Amino acid sequence: MEREQTIRISPEEMEAQRRFAREFAHLPDRPRTYHIVTYGCQMNVHDSEKLAGMLEEMGMTPAPTREEADFVLHNTCCIRDNAERKALGNVTWLKEIKKQRPGMLIGVCGCMVQEPGMAEKILRQYPFVDVAFGTGNIYRLPELLYRAVDTRRRTVAVPQEQSTLIEGLPIRRESPFQSYVTIMYGCNNFCSYCIVPYVRGRERSRSADDILREVEGLQKQGVQEIMLLGQNVNSYGNDTPGGITFPQLLRRISQTGIPRVRFMTSHPKDLSDELIAEFAENPVLCRHLHLPVQSGSNAILQAMNRRYTRESYLEKVEKIRKAAPDVGLTTDLIVAFPGETDQDFEDTMDLVRQVCFDSAFTFIYSPRVGTRAAGMPGRIDPALATERIERLIALQEEMTQKRFAEMIEKTESVLVTGQSRRNEKQFTGKTSRNISVNFEGSSEMIGKIVPVRITAASKTTLRGQMQGA
Ligand code: SF4
């Protein structure tokens, strides 16, 4: 397999960036406020927390809106064509604001910048963008922004085929009681529709010691729940011979005293018996597994290069259900993949009926330039694709209702995440199974795990009553 060299950013390089951050504060006419617009997945949300951490280390403070900020940074996603178009549309929209506020700086970063040819496109077609950098260059934000302000020239940095592993970035976490912890970066799987391996590089696992140190720090700060992040967490450690496996890492993390641990995302082909057993034995592990199936048809799974079959997926589902029946399964589904026949689609519908997922993210296939599927024949007529996704969504809603109905009258442990904006007596939280619950409570409950009896269900959320209230 093609391997890229992992580039570990040295402590000296990180110190050089910190120097840029300190010196930035002395630049005349420097931006003083920032606003980050984030697109895409949790990995990007967490990257934005790091970007915010660096900007605050540079002496900047958050602005509530894009229009009010001195520096607006777009942390982009390129997984789907519409996410990319939306990001570029928003960047263009800011051009008008910049005309009224010429001192404003505009930045673009994230996966989209890492796409082949995108940096050149930004330089050519978006002259009002001041700073652009890819995912492997995130740590260079202080330097790039310093240079843009100091020289009044645009700075663009995109690493070519480099897979960086970066430790020690400052993080401004969005929530004091729920935190993301990245355990690995990149992906080696090359699913034929996916651009991630090209823009996020190959798999690089963080060291277990670095991860544990971060989790212990979060536990001491009172964090209640951590979400471990990776494109395919099941591959954790494969690139570090002699290291520990993902289930072993989970066990060690669970011993830190953190009350809840969850993770995202798990490739079905790599879901091991060891991990399934962990669900049965580890009470700290949340009762939720996101297991993206993408299609219920073997022909389509093969064309997608998913390297599992419908049968092997269902077998694993059965094993999980047997070992830990209270675990809720969610999934991702793509309809109208090139060549998808009516029968292929019916196979997906049938699998959804069989598994009865708690919920599913459903998408119409969107070709990404540079991926194998983009050149495949058999594009599906858009009207048919819409008809299929509507049927799929309706079926999944039915399945969700079925799952929700099973929870009524049961008591769930709910991490209270916030208060309703419309009714100050109403609070919201997440069950261990990752389902939103609304209930009456009080503000001192925010950030705590409380028992809630489920009383009713709507389309996407549960209603409940806090026990002992
Ligand atoms: S496993 Fe497949 S879909 Fe997921 S990030 Fe890797 S290549 Fe993309």
Side-chain angles (χ1 to χ4, degrees):
M1 184 196 294
E2 180 194 352
R3 276 226 168 261
E4 276 177 10
Q5 198 193 348
T6 298
I7 312 280
R8 281 168 207 280
I9 306 302
S10 67
E12 293 75 28
E13 176 62 14
M14 295 306 286
E15 181 47 38
Q17 293 301 323
R18 277 193 286 273
R19 257 199 315 275
F20 275 112
R22 285 193 296 273
E23 283 167 22
F24 184 81
H26 304 298
L27 286 176
D29 302 328
R30 68 185 170 89
R32 289 171 195 262
T33 58
Y34 74 87
H35 188 87
I36 300 175
V37 187
T38 308
Y39 305 85
C41 64
Q42 284 98 338
M43 290 289 252
N44 257 21
V45 173
H46 189 37
D47 278 351
S48 288
E49 293 184 326
K50 295 175 189 165
L51 293 162
M54 283 186 273
L55 292 171
E56 296 199 4
E57 211 170 66
M58 295 167 82
M60 297 170 75
T61 52
T65 63
R66 287 177 290 178
E67 293 89 328
E68 292 163 87
D70 298 335
F71 176 49
V72 183
L73 183 55
H74 298 80
N75 187 11
T76 62
C77 165
C78 64
I79 202 117
R80 263 165 268 285
D81 191 42
N82 55 0
E84 192 170 305
R85 268 188 281 127
K86 194 170 159 199
L88 289 173
N90 282 338
V91 172
T92 308
W93 176 82
L94 266 189
K95 183 174 132 186
E96 296 308 311
I97 309 283
K98 193 171 172 166
K99 276 187 193 154
Q100 292 148 31
R101 296 186 54 210
M104 177 189 248
L105 291 170
I106 299 176
V108 185
C109 66
C111 302
M112 191 183 83
V113 185
Q114 201 81 31
E115 270 181 83
M118 184 52 81
E120 293 78 10
K121 183 175 169 180
I122 289 172
L123 279 171
R124 218 176 35 245
Q125 293 179 17
Y126 299 83
F128 45 91
V129 171
D130 303 282
V131 181
F133 52 98
T135 49
N137 273 321
I138 178 172
Y139 69 100
R140 287 183 60 200
L141 172 60
E143 174 195 346
L144 298 172
L145 198 52
Y146 180 96
R147 292 197 196 286
V149 174
D150 190 39
T151 62
R152 300 268 147 212
R153 293 180 66 174
R154 312 167 72 204
T155 49
V156 174
V158 183
Q160 296 300 314
E161 296 183 17
Q162 283 185 3
S163 292
T164 48
L165 197 56
I166 308 160
E167 289 295 340
L169 286 180
I171 304 176
R172 179 188 190 269
R173 299 198 187 259
E174 289 288 316
S175 158
F177 44 85
Q178 283 176 302
S179 290
Y180 293 120
V181 174
T182 305
I183 62 163
M184 61 183 300
Y185 301 89
C187 183
N188 289 357
N189 284 317
F190 290 93
C191 300
S192 63
Y193 53 85
C194 182
I195 196 139
V196 165
Y198 305 96
V199 293
R200 290 259 177 191
R202 301 303 168 271
E203 288 169 1
R204 293 94 75 196
S205 303
R206 287 180 69 199
S207 85
D209 288 346
D210 285 332
I211 297 168
L212 284 161
R213 214 170 297 126
E214 185 175 344
V215 175
E216 279 158 9
L218 294 170
Q219 190 270 336
K220 283 191 189 113
Q221 289 164 31
V223 167
Q224 299 292 303
E225 180 181 296
I226 56 164
M227 161 87 87
L228 305 175
L229 294 178
Q231 302 295 346
N232 178 19
V233 291
N234 295 334
S235 298
Y236 174 81
N238 285 358
D239 57 323
T240 46
I244 62 173
T245 63
F246 179 56
Q248 287 165 345
L249 178 71
L250 270 179
R251 237 164 286 149
R252 287 178 61 182
I253 288 173
S254 304
Q255 285 157 8
T256 59
I258 211 100
R260 277 182 170 192
V261 178
R262 51 177 90 243
F263 59 84
M264 186 85 111
T265 291
S266 205
H267 194 301
K269 80 174 162 52
D270 300 318
L271 178 70
S272 63
D273 288 349
E274 195 188 359
L275 183 55
I276 293 174
E278 202 54 26
F279 273 107
E281 290 157 15
N282 185 344
V284 175
L285 192 54
C286 285
R287 316 318 287 161
H288 173 222
L289 176 62
H290 187 70
L291 201 60
V293 66
Q294 309 297 5
S295 171
S297 149
N298 280 337
I300 297 297
L301 287 173
Q302 196 178 11
M304 287 176 166
N305 193 32
R306 292 291 286 174
R307 287 178 282 166
Y308 54 85
T309 60
R310 165 196 179 87
E311 291 75 23
S312 66
Y313 183 92
L314 289 171
E315 217 173 278
K316 289 192 180 181
V317 167
E318 209 182 303
K319 274 190 185 173
I320 298 158
R321 293 255 156 93
K322 212 162 151 201
D326 57 339
V327 168
L329 293 173
T330 58
T331 200
D332 296 338
L333 294 156
I334 297 175
V335 300
F337 189 78
E340 186 187 69
T341 62
D342 286 345
Q343 186 54 52
D344 292 325
F345 174 66
E346 293 307 329
D347 287 349
T348 299
M349 295 285 279
D350 184 64
L351 182 135
V352 168
R353 261 182 230 107
Q354 275 196 54
V355 179
C356 197
F357 296 104
D358 283 4
S359 64
F361 294 106
T362 51
F363 307 97
I364 292 179
Y365 168 73
S366 139
R368 305 305 297 130
V369 176
T371 61
R372 222 154 33 82
M376 285 182 184
R379 285 285 164 82
I380 307 300
D381 175 68
L384 180 60
T386 307
E387 191 189 309
R388 284 181 182 169
I389 201 157
E390 283 171 358
R391 278 187 59 207
L392 184 62
I393 291 170
L395 174 65
Q396 180 50 51
E397 281 175 3
E398 216 182 284
M399 299 298 109
T400 301
Q401 288 313 298
K402 218 164 144 184
R403 285 290 175 219
F404 282 7
E406 291 165 4
M407 291 172 210
I408 291 176
E409 287 309 321
K410 293 204 171 126
T411 298
E412 298 280 340
S413 297
V414 174
L415 173 59
V416 188
T417 51
Q419 194 168 19
S420 156
R421 261 182 245 145
R422 274 172 280 156
N423 179 347
E424 59 177 34
K425 283 191 182 154
Q426 284 294 317
F427 289 79
T428 183
K430 287 269 180 185
T431 66
S432 175
R433 214 161 146 155
N434 209 28
I435 300 170
S436 294
V437 187
N438 299 314
F439 54 95
E440 272 192 15
S442 54
S443 54
E444 62 270 21
M445 290 292 124
I446 294 178
K448 296 204 167 74
I449 297 173
V450 299
V452 175
R453 186 171 61 83
I454 306 303
T455 53
S458 72
K459 240 179 175 182
T460 51
T461 57
L462 298 170
R463 282 209 54 77
Q465 211 164 38
M466 205 169 94
Q467 298 299 277

